[in-house]
Amino acid sequence: MKRRGKSKIICLFSFLSFVMCASYAQQKISNELLQKRRTSLLSEPLNIDSLIFPELKTNNTLSASIGTANMYDTYLSPLEYKGFSIHLMYEQMRRTTWFDYKFYKQQLFEIDLSKGDNPSKNASEYWFLASYSLGGHYRVYNSNGLRVGIGGLWDINAGVLYNERNGNNPATARAYSNLNLSLQASYKLNHCGIRWQLDTPFMGVLFSPRYGQSYYEISLGNTVDVVNFASLHNQRALRNYITVDIPINTYTLRVGYLGSWYQTKVQNIQTHHYTNSFVIGFPIEGVKKSKGKAKNKYWETF
């Protein structure tokens, strides 16, 4: 009997020990799960830190455009050459911590190719220009529907204009760098987002030979006055860029208009290059999403 009593006590003690251990283990697992849940909540985009410190997202876009071109350079010909233009552009916009997260950095890499014919259609000119721009905009107005920024861009450009009819001087170089004033505005609609940007140079430098001066002379060291200060008195330009972001299923399509007008009057040489183009592009980070429909990536980022 005593042995049976002892056995019962031992079994009861073992059962209570098991229950206590199980309760402790369950409590420990619950605490671990709660801690993991807290960690996951803290890692989600909508948390207190993200509200206090906005995310520094980047918007990258590849685009191509095609349109009309009007070329004029009295160094090569007294005639205007009209034709078509193909424009390739890579654009990057990134929110920064500057000025209490209100400054947005912008970079542009652009390549412009144009071909035009003279009025008689018996001669052609070919144009190539590569450009890089760096700058940004300070957000001066921000609402649920409209956002406006002002700022500036520094650009550097290099290219060539070739006339197939000329013999001694068949081509002329293009090289200039400017500081630009820039205005940018975005407007959000129900199913798309609209952005407008206007840039114009106010000060810079540009390369230009003198009228009648050959590049052979320049290669021999006759480089007097080939580098000139540029401003509104001898250089005028305007770049007008309007785009619309349209979500299509899991993709975001960017379409728009790009107008570029550049003209100079230096060393008794007048030039201009005007293009008007239709733009189509794709924001890189918004081309494909794992689930759900695409949104206006530009507006979501900024």
Side-chain angles (χ1 to χ4, degrees), residues 168-207:
N168 294 332
N169 291 323
T172 182
R174 287 286 193 276
Y176 54 94
S177 179
N178 289 298
L179 296 176
N180 299 264
L181 298 176
S182 182
L183 172 66
Q184 189 178 96
S186 301
Y187 188 74
K188 184 179 180 182
L189 299 174
N190 291 333
H191 302 290
C192 65
I194 302 174
R195 190 187 70 166
W196 172 59
Q197 183 170 334
L198 192 67
D199 307 323
T200 184
F202 67 93
M203 183 175 64
V205 294
L206 63 84
F207 165 84

Side-chain angles (χ1 to χ4, degrees), residues 91-224:
E91 179 186 24
Q92 181 187 85
M93 294 194 66
R94 180 171 63 87
R95 191 174 193 175
T96 71
T97 59
W98 299 354
F99 304 105
D100 195 23
Y101 297 89
K102 294 181 179 180
F103 187 82
Y104 295 79
K105 179 183 175 182
Q106 183 180 32
Q107 289 190 88
L108 294 168
F109 297 88
E110 300 176 84
I111 293 177
D112 186 52
L113 302 168
S114 301
K115 177 184 179 295
D117 299 324
N118 64 6
S120 301
K121 306 294 182 182
N122 57 8
S124 299
E125 280 188 346
Y126 300 88
W127 165 271
F128 169 81
L129 186 72
S131 306
Y132 171 74
S133 302
L134 175 65
H137 302 84
Y138 176 78
R139 183 68 52 76
V140 295
Y141 181 81
N142 188 4
S143 68
N144 292 330
L146 177 64
R147 299 176 181 180
V148 179
I150 58 174
L153 296 166
W154 165 75
D155 66 48
I156 184 169
N157 310 266
V160 63
L161 178 64
Y162 172 78
N163 189 305
E164 64 180 11
R165 200 171 200 180
N166 290 359
N168 294 332
N169 291 323
T172 182
R174 287 286 193 276
Y176 54 94
S177 179
N178 289 298
L179 296 176
N180 299 264
L181 298 176
S182 182
L183 172 66
Q184 189 178 96
S186 301
Y187 188 74
K188 184 179 180 182
L189 299 174
N190 291 333
H191 302 290
C192 65
I194 302 174
R195 190 187 70 166
W196 172 59
Q197 183 170 334
L198 192 67
D199 307 323
T200 184
F202 67 93
M203 183 175 64
V205 294
L206 63 84
F207 165 84
S208 176
R210 295 189 302 274
Y211 187 80
Q213 182 183 23
S214 68
Y215 281 83
Y216 178 71
E217 295 179 54
I218 296 175
S219 67
L220 294 178
N222 185 11
T223 58
V224 178

Side-chain angles (χ1 to χ4, degrees), residues 211-276:
Y211 187 80
Q213 182 183 23
S214 68
Y215 281 83
Y216 178 71
E217 295 179 54
I218 296 175
S219 67
L220 294 178
N222 185 11
T223 58
V224 178
D225 296 332
V226 296
V227 178
N228 302 268
F229 173 75
S231 191
L232 299 178
H233 66 288
N234 59 5
Q235 173 191 253
R236 296 176 186 177
L238 191 66
R239 184 178 184 273
N240 188 20
Y241 187 42
I242 303 172
T243 60
V244 180
D245 285 355
I246 305 171
I248 302 176
N249 197 13
T250 57
Y251 295 85
T252 299
L253 177 66
R254 179 168 293 178
V255 296
Y257 163 80
L258 175 62
S260 177
W261 306 284
Y262 181 81
Q263 63 182 32
T264 63
K265 187 176 181 180
V266 183
Q267 310 279 28
N268 295 318
I269 297 174
Q270 296 185 40
T271 73
H272 73 230
H273 188 84
Y274 307 145
T275 60
N276 294 278

